[in-house]
Amino acid sequence: MWLLAVGLLLIATAISPNCVSAQGISAVPVDVEIPAAPTPVRANGKIHLLYELHLTNLRARSLELTRLEVLKYEVNALPVASYKDAELISRLARPGAASDLPDKRVIGGGMRAVVFLQITFNTNADVPVALRHRLSFKADDPKGEERSVDTARVVVQRNPALVIGPPVHGEGWLASNGMSNTSSHRRTLLVVNGKARIAQRFATDWTRIGADGLAFRGDPSKNSNWSAYGTEVLAVANATVADVNDGIPENDPTADNKAVPITLDNAAGNYVILDLGNGYFTLYAHLQPGRIRVKIGDRVKRGQVLALLGNSGNSDAPHLHFHITDGNSPLGAEGVPYVIESFEMEGILPSKGLLIEGGWRPQPSAIIDKRRLEIPIENAVVRFP
């Protein structure tokens, strides 16, 4: 059974963040950390903050997280977001805990929970300078009292998101597993060298929809039958080639097993990493073997062809996995936001099933939906100049 462009999905078993600690731990012994400070990024006409809270219960008995409020760091500020019940549960992950937990809000003694947040504002002017978080807990004891703790001040990064060119050209490009708070990329915590990170926080699996509205035609086991396969992959900026990996055979999209057993070292398949400067690195993953056109140390210009799109590594079908991080590592760094200089929205794919049967086509419109300085959201279908 084949699946469509899942990408670099790996499961972590531990977390080791290092940022903000909670206040008031004498009342509620919970440590609260934010491994990557929220940075505004524009998508679909709004401003978004994507970040995580890591909550560690430092008492022996369980605590139940009952409510989370996100507030501006101001006196008597009203919440900009508030979550409880199902809305809170949908944002929670419990790494290291059993998969069949009856309630993810109940954090056992010494255990950890991760809250995935996406806070949306209409304009940059609406984004607070700093945030705090109020967490309410109920103790697992006879009294069962509910108490709250406010976190320390968390400064919102004001540096503008990195502006890049398109990684491919042409129409029909689907932002599979693109920017959202629920995609597999967004929720992938991976421990590398003793440090848990989300390199894929803003990643996209770029796959292509053909003129017939389908992802492939004919026998899907042949990579060459897929619309995206063999597309030229482009440098998104003037940069230096920081790393290259080649020689990994490609997968059969219909096979249950990959061409090689997947490890941390080969999950990205054949790849190119560009050093964009100022501590930013971009990953192009799952490329064709033997078709990479650059080597480590090469200087490349924006729009230059780097390689051909393929289906290597932890990939289920031909696509380009693309993300930007703060380190020269496919997965051992934190994912950072970026925006693409310009593209045109062709629509939103309502179901990936249409790419297999029936086909998807953009709605006819007399108005071209041009976007500037945005990151495409999950399942957006776009045209790049």
Side-chain angles (χ1 to χ4, degrees):
M1 181 68 178
W2 58 269
L3 301 172
L4 183 65
V6 170
L8 295 174
L9 179 58
L10 296 173
I11 302 301
T13 57
I15 299 177
S16 178
N18 64 356
C19 193
V20 179
S21 295
Q23 297 176 347
I25 60 174
S26 59
V28 183
V30 173
D31 184 65
V32 183
E33 300 184 355
I34 299 176
T39 303
V41 63
R42 186 173 183 83
N44 206 30
K46 303 283 187 179
I47 308 299
H48 305 262
L49 300 179
L50 271 70
Y51 63 104
E52 306 83 47
L53 302 182
H54 292 219
L55 316 178
T56 304
N57 178 8
L58 298 182
R59 59 175 264 165
R61 303 184 67 171
S62 296
L63 289 170
E64 179 185 349
L65 178 63
T66 57
R67 182 188 295 270
L68 166 63
E69 294 174 296
V70 183
L71 306 99
K72 294 182 180 180
Y73 196 80
E74 300 171 357
V75 177
N76 299 322
L78 295 175
V80 297
S82 180
Y83 309 105
K84 65 176 183 177
D85 302 329
E87 285 192 331
L88 180 57
I89 293 171
S90 70
R91 289 164 172 80
L92 276 171
R94 295 298 311 282
S99 60
D100 59 349
L101 286 175
D103 189 342
K104 290 189 291 186
R105 295 172 298 178
V106 178
I107 308 170
M111 297 297 291
R112 179 164 296 200
V114 179
V115 187
F116 292 90
L117 293 174
Q118 179 179 2
I119 313 299
T120 302
F121 301 91
N122 288 324
T123 68
N124 274 313
D126 297 326
V127 179
V129 173
L131 297 169
R132 59 188 173 95
H133 302 81
R134 180 172 298 144
L135 300 119
S136 298
F137 294 91
K138 185 183 293 184
D140 179 19
D141 55 39
K143 291 184 178 181
E145 296 178 349
E146 185 173 87
R147 296 183 178 181
S148 297
V149 60
D150 278 20
T151 67
R153 184 171 184 260
V154 179
V155 176
V156 177
Q157 296 295 310
R158 307 309 296 184
N159 296 331
L162 188 67
V163 179
I164 62 171
V168 288
H169 279 163
E171 69 286 334
W173 286 104
L174 171 66
S176 181
N177 299 319
M179 199 213 79
S180 78
N181 201 36
T182 57
S183 77
S184 59
H185 288 149
R186 172 76 178 101
R187 300 294 180 102
T188 297
L189 290 159
L190 182 64
V191 176
V192 181
N193 296 328
K195 176 70 176 176
R197 307 176 190 271
I198 305 181
Q200 305 170 78
R201 186 177 285 110
F202 297 94
T204 296
D205 285 335
W206 288 110
T207 191
R208 199 169 197 180
I209 303 173
D212 55 3
L214 300 174
F216 66 86
R217 54 217 44 80
D219 183 356
S221 70
K222 297 180 179 179
N223 286 309
S224 58
N225 286 344
W226 289 74
S227 303
Y229 189 74
T231 299
E232 293 181 336
V233 172
L234 310 175
V236 296
N238 297 340
T240 301
V241 178
D243 196 9
V244 171
N245 192 48
D246 202 351
I248 297 176
E250 293 188 290
N251 304 311
D252 175 349
T254 63
D256 292 331
N257 297 321
K258 300 294 184 284
V260 296
I262 299 302
T263 67
L264 180 65
D265 292 332
N266 65 25
N270 305 304
Y271 67 77
V272 172
I273 295 178
L274 297 184
D275 182 348
L276 304 178
N278 298 315
Y280 296 119
F281 296 81
T282 183
L283 171 71
Y284 301 78
H286 311 313
L287 306 173
Q288 286 188 26
R291 305 305 298 273
I292 294 176
R293 303 182 185 180
V294 293
K295 63 183 183 301
I296 295 175
D298 284 356
R299 289 286 300 168
V300 298
K301 294 184 178 181
R302 174 173 160 170
Q304 181 176 330
V305 177
L306 304 175
L308 299 185
L309 185 150
N311 183 26
S312 58
N314 193 30
S315 170
D316 290 324
H319 73 283
L320 171 67
H321 176 100
F322 179 89
H323 68 235
I324 296 178
T325 65
D326 62 2
N328 183 13
S329 171
L331 296 169
E334 292 288 0
V336 298
Y338 58 89
V339 293
I340 298 176
E341 188 172 72
S342 67
F343 60 90
E344 295 174 5
M345 281 285 295
E346 296 184 291
I348 301 290
L349 180 70
S351 169
K352 289 183 180 178
L354 291 174
L355 304 184
I356 302 167
E357 185 175 358
W360 178 89
R361 291 171 181 80
Q363 294 295 320
S365 173
I367 301 175
I368 298 175
D369 189 1
K370 294 184 177 180
R371 302 293 179 93
R372 283 187 52 80
L373 303 178
E374 290 194 356
I375 182 173
I377 61 172
E378 184 173 26
N379 292 331
V381 184
V382 307
R383 177 186 178 277
F384 291 119

